[in-house]
């Protein structure tokens, strides 16, 4: 029997592609991974204590709708973080990290047709690759909308025109964005909310980097939605403990949206979901309730970005991101540069083209590399100095 083509025709995933690119060439120094965005700072010790305290819960099938304690902790966090008034705990669905929710929300909420046509899912380009596969799994067509330096790395969805927007069912929007670290302003969210209302689509706001910022906390879609009185069913905000609390292995996140969306997502998960184990839900409740470790974590990243600002001062193509934990560095050719950096120094960085689509246009990630600032600061220093020297033209030229 033939295998389905739906997923076999996907482009090679970024990290096997990087391995294939670098494999033929020996590392030019001690290997340092600056390609994968896996948080490395310590997670709070109390999370493990809570896990042990609630270990008896491993004996139970976890509740799909989420433990009441967890939903309450998340609701209070949202109220504090975004000055929201009285968040309904029933409008929160705990997820196994944002990735699972970003995928399953599209399956649960993207209709079979939009205005009699195959629905479109709009995706910023470059983008977190899960969005594209979610669109495909839901039977929708992915449309990639470039997020480039010229538009502050924020996709201009309105420029697509009424015909495209009327066919659109879902818009993925990542703020702070991976890879560029751009943040949507209140004005940006307001315009996107108005567009969603006018053309009847849903906004999937991936805000999993919301707590990793330099100066000002990024504006969240939920705060703006409250201010403008938007329909709660228009917006889904996704958050996670992976980056905020250095707990990617917890697989613990949530979505906040309106009750109808929650019902549909819960329905799908009733049949197919694997809810977060109960002890992890209970420990997650404690982690959402604490801000001290988040402040410490943010300070560690800020020190690394201050260091990057010093090291790359005056380097053409360098721009300090306002949030997130990546540098998105402009270079002549991302693949070539990643290879040269590896060959000269043993540092692994990701070619930007592996995170974006080309299609009819030039791939907007082609002339970039993504550098993950997740290692300890002394390693980051070694890595950034090596990258700088690898990309700088030799003296005398
Ligand atoms: C933009 C973006 N969204 C979502 C995720 C998924 O994170 P998690 O499932 O750990 O919450 C990541 C992880 O790297 C990401 O970079």
């Amino acid at each position: 029997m033939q295998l389905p083509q739906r997923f076999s025709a996907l482009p090679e995933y970024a990290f096997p592609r990087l391995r294939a690119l670098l494999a033929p060439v020996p590392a030019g120094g001690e290997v340092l991974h600056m390609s994968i965005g896996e948080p490395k700072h310590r997670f709070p010790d109390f999370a493990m204590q809570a896990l042990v305290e609630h270990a008896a819960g491993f004996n139970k099938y976890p509740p799909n709708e989420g433990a009441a304690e967890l939903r309450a902790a998340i609701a209070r966090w949202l109220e504090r973080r975004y000055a929201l008034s009285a968040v309904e705990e029933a409008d929160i669905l705990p997820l196994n990290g944002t990735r699972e929710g970003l995928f399953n929300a599209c399956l649960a909420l993207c209709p079979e047709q939009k205005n009699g046509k195959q629905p479109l899912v709009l995706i910023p380009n470059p983008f977190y690759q899960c969005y594209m596969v979610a669109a495909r799994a839901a039977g929708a067509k992915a449309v990639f909308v470039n997020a480039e330096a010229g538009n502050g790395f924020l996709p201009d969805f309105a420029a697509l025109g009424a015909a495209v927007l009327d066919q659109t069912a879902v818009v993925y929007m990542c703020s702070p964005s991976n890879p560029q670290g751009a943040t949507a302003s209140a004005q940006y969210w307001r315009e996107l909310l108005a567009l969603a209302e006018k053309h009847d689509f849903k906004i999937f706001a991936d805000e999993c980097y919301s707590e990793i910022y330099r100066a000002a906390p990024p504006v969240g879609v939920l705060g703006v939605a409250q201010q403008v009185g938007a329909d709660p069913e228009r917006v889904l905000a996704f958050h996670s403990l992976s980056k905020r609390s250095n707990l990617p292995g917890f697989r613990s996140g949530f979505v906040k949206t309106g009750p109808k969306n929650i019902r549909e997502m819960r329905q799908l998960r009733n049949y197919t979901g694997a809810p977060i184990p109960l002890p992890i839900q209970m420990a997650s409740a404690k982690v959402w309730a604490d801000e001290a470790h988040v402040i410490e974590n943010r300070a560690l990243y800020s020190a690394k970005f201050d260091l990057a600002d010093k090291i790359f001062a005056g380097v053409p193509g360098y721009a300090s991101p306002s949030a997130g934990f990546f540098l998105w560095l402009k270079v002549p050719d991302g693949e070539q540069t990643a290879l040269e950096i590896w060959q000269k120094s043993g540092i692994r960085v990701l070619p930007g083209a592996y995170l974006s689509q080309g299609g009819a246009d030039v791939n907007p990630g082609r002339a970039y590399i993504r550098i993950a600032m997740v290692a300890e600061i002394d390693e980051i220093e070694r890595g950034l100095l090596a990258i700088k020297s690898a990309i700088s033209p030799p003296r005398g030229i």
Side-chain angles (χ1 to χ4, degrees):
M1 197 180 74
Q2 232 194 331
L3 289 171
Q5 299 300 297
R6 274 195 300 283
F7 303 123
S8 54
L10 288 175
E12 180 76 292
Y13 199 60
F15 298 107
R17 256 178 108 179
L18 179 64
R19 281 196 289 278
L21 175 76
L22 304 184
V25 179
E30 197 185 328
V31 175
L32 176 60
H33 292 269
M34 298 184 86
S35 49
I36 301 180
E38 183 179 62
K40 297 277 180 236
H41 300 158
R42 277 175 70 87
F43 52 73
D45 290 339
F46 67 79
M48 288 310 111
Q49 287 155 16
L51 196 58
V52 171
E53 265 165 43
H54 293 279
F58 281 120
N59 214 202
K60 291 188 156 68
Y61 280 113
N64 187 31
E65 69 279 13
E69 292 87 341
L70 174 56
R71 284 182 294 144
I74 292 170
R76 300 298 84 76
W77 178 77
L78 282 171
E79 289 164 0
R80 287 194 303 276
R81 172 64 174 85
Y82 296 115
L84 302 182
S85 49
V87 171
E88 279 292 336
E89 289 154 28
D91 293 347
I92 290 164
L93 186 62
L95 303 167
N96 307 82
T98 40
R99 183 203 278 228
E100 175 259 314
L102 288 161
F103 180 81
N104 280 312
C106 202
L107 280 189
L109 301 175
C110 182
E112 284 82 6
Q113 292 208 326
K114 175 80 191 294
N115 290 330
K117 295 192 179 136
Q118 182 189 26
L120 304 180
V121 170
L122 309 188
I123 297 178
N125 193 26
F127 60 101
Y128 184 56
Q129 302 289 293
C130 165
Y131 311 156
M132 171 178 73
V133 186
R136 190 176 288 221
K141 182 170 185 279
V143 175
F144 300 100
V145 187
N146 288 356
E148 298 180 275
N151 48 25
F153 295 113
L154 297 169
D156 184 1
F157 295 115
L160 293 174
V164 170
L165 295 169
D166 284 339
Q167 210 185 320
T168 297
V170 170
V171 169
Y172 280 97
M173 178 61 200
C174 188
S175 173
S177 65
N178 171 5
Q180 311 97 323
T183 50
S185 64
Q187 180 64 13
Y188 185 94
W189 283 126
R190 264 195 296 277
E191 285 172 13
L192 188 55
L193 284 161
L195 213 59
E197 195 58 43
K198 181 167 176 204
H199 298 279
D200 188 23
F201 58 76
K202 291 187 196 291
I203 301 167
F204 289 7
D206 179 356
E207 298 186 311
C208 69
Y209 291 93
S210 66
E211 304 316 288
I212 316 291
Y213 56 83
R214 310 294 101 72
V219 174
V221 70
L222 293 175
V224 179
Q226 174 176 276
Q227 279 160 18
V228 302
D231 175 355
E233 307 293 341
R234 285 273 163 240
V235 183
L236 289 83
F238 294 87
H239 286 269
S240 147
L241 293 180
S242 298
K243 331 287 180 194
R244 173 187 183 269
S245 304
N246 302 313
L247 284 165
F250 250 32
R251 309 310 307 129
S252 185
F254 71 86
V255 62
K256 157 78 179 77
T257 179
K260 290 192 199 135
N261 290 337
I262 293 283
R263 199 177 320 123
E264 293 302 302
M265 287 186 70
R266 207 169 43 218
Q267 175 77 330
L268 177 64
R269 287 167 61 89
N270 277 335
Y271 287 94
T272 67
I276 314 172
L278 196 51
I280 299 185
Q281 294 200 34
M282 301 306 279
S284 298
K286 293 249 162 57
V287 179
W288 283 112
D290 182 74
E291 223 42 59
H293 75 280
V294 184
I295 295 168
E296 264 174 46
N297 191 35
R298 193 156 47 236
L300 292 177
Y301 283 115
S302 290
K304 294 184 208 175
F305 280 94
D306 290 348
L307 181 68
D309 288 349
K310 276 200 201 113
I311 291 176
F312 285 98
V315 170
Y318 175 76
S320 196
S322 59
F325 56 47
F326 298 107
L327 290 179
W328 185 238
L329 187 65
K330 189 151 174 40
V331 292
D333 178 282
E335 257 193 339
Q336 187 59 34
T337 305
L339 195 58
E340 279 169 20
I341 291 172
W342 170 250
Q343 195 163 24
K344 289 183 186 166
S345 67
I347 315 290
R348 293 174 92 91
V349 299
L350 197 65
Y354 295 4
L355 299 169
S356 39
Q357 290 284 309
D361 295 340
V362 174
N363 183 322
R366 195 190 60 78
Y368 286 88
I369 52 171
R370 191 189 75 173
I371 304 169
M373 304 277 278
V374 290
E376 294 303 329
I377 194 160
D378 48 343
E379 286 202 303
I380 292 281
E381 180 166 28
R382 175 171 77 83
L384 295 183
L385 288 169
I387 291 169
K388 186 185 171 191
S389 112
I391 63 169
S392 304
R395 279 174 196 280
I397 292 185

